Amino acid sequence: MTDNEGVLDGTAPLSGVSRGVQEPRHGVTRVVNAPLPTTYGDFQAVGYLDHARGDEQVALVHGDIEERGMLVRLHSECLTGDAFGSTHCECGPQLSTALREIAAEGRGVLIYLRGHEGRGIGLLAKLRAMKLQAEGLDTVEANLALGLPVDARDYRVAAEILHDLGVRSVRLLSNNPRKREALVRHGITVDEQVPLLIPPGENNLTYLRTKRERLDHHLPHLDAVVHSS
């Protein structure tokens, strides 16, 4: 096990702060570590400020941090799915399943990425896109019809948080190949991509098919549904 004493116990210096000397504001600054008991297990909530965008970010850490092979989830913010239980997407079940799997593993990190609402287009634009989807467009067509990018998410801050925590390689809980590519591009080795498959429902089947067919998400569990429909 890599010795990471001081990373989460408050004895390590916060990123960007050293002996009272202010460094240039770029990247992320670790602001606070706080215990976070959850229904899934006990986590440490590690709060960061992303100076590039001004977003407040949080990493939930369970167990001891290891430099290599940490189970990691990069979870894009989704108010409708995570907080309101929307069945239009699978975000809420993915969040709870990821936390459960990290707790079962005994160690791991979930980075909850603020600013990723609607694949990075923001809440109101996402709601407009959902309205267009209810009228017959798919999730890709809806974004394009609004003059917005299909996927505007940037995973730089996730890689910077992992670097700050001392994590150099991960087993990535994700079906999205772009997350893997982004981490590698920012200096994090991905040892394995671990599927996070949620059973489809009546309200999100079209959405999931579009993610598979147009966004290259690895969703093999849809085969049985596609073949039976």
Side-chain angles (χ1 to χ4, degrees), residues 39-113:
T39 56
Y40 311 101
D42 291 336
F43 289 78
Q44 281 284 320
V46 188
Y48 288 87
L49 179 61
D50 176 12
H51 295 290
R53 292 174 49 97
D55 292 329
E56 297 175 342
Q57 304 287 0
V58 65
L60 301 186
V61 179
H62 179 74
D64 295 329
I65 291 177
E66 293 194 349
E67 183 177 1
R68 303 288 175 185
M70 283 289 283
L71 187 62
V72 169
R73 167 71 179 165
L74 310 184
H75 191 85
S76 294
E77 175 183 28
C78 178
L79 179 67
T80 51
D82 297 340
F84 300 152
S86 169
T87 56
H88 176 80
C89 62
E90 82 277 42
C91 299
Q94 281 191 322
L95 177 60
S96 58
T97 300
L99 290 169
R100 192 175 295 112
E101 291 194 14
I102 286 170
E105 179 86 2
R107 62 176 58 87
V109 179
L110 184 142
I111 302 176
Y112 193 85
L113 290 161

Side-chain angles (χ1 to χ4, degrees), residues 121-203:
I121 63 174
L123 178 60
L124 296 182
K126 174 177 131 174
L127 293 176
R128 293 187 183 102
M130 289 172 63
K131 181 176 184 293
L132 291 179
Q133 290 172 64
E135 295 169 358
L137 299 187
D138 69 31
T139 183
V140 170
E141 293 166 343
N143 281 33
L144 295 176
L146 292 169
L148 298 170
V150 172
D151 193 338
R153 290 174 292 182
D154 179 6
Y155 299 100
R156 166 197 53 81
V157 68
E160 291 179 353
I161 288 171
L162 290 172
H163 281 298
D164 178 76
L165 291 172
V167 176
R168 300 294 177 258
S169 76
V170 304
R171 293 163 49 234
L172 183 63
L173 268 169
S174 178
N175 310 317
N176 184 353
R178 291 179 177 85
K179 291 184 180 181
R180 178 181 192 138
E181 294 162 4
L183 285 184
V184 171
R185 188 165 60 250
H186 291 290
I188 300 293
T189 299
V190 179
D191 297 328
E192 178 187 4
Q193 192 157 336
V194 181
L196 187 59
L197 304 177
I198 304 300
E202 179 181 354
N203 294 323

Side-chain angles (χ1 to χ4, degrees), residues 4-21 23 28-33 46-48 163-166:
N4 280 294
E5 285 190 34
V7 173
L8 293 181
D9 66 4
T11 63
L14 303 183
S15 305
V17 180
S18 176
R19 300 180 184 273
V21 177
E23 296 181 357
V28 296
T29 295
R30 194 191 320 167
V31 177
V32 63
N33 305 336
V46 188
Y48 288 87
H163 281 298
D164 178 76
L165 291 172

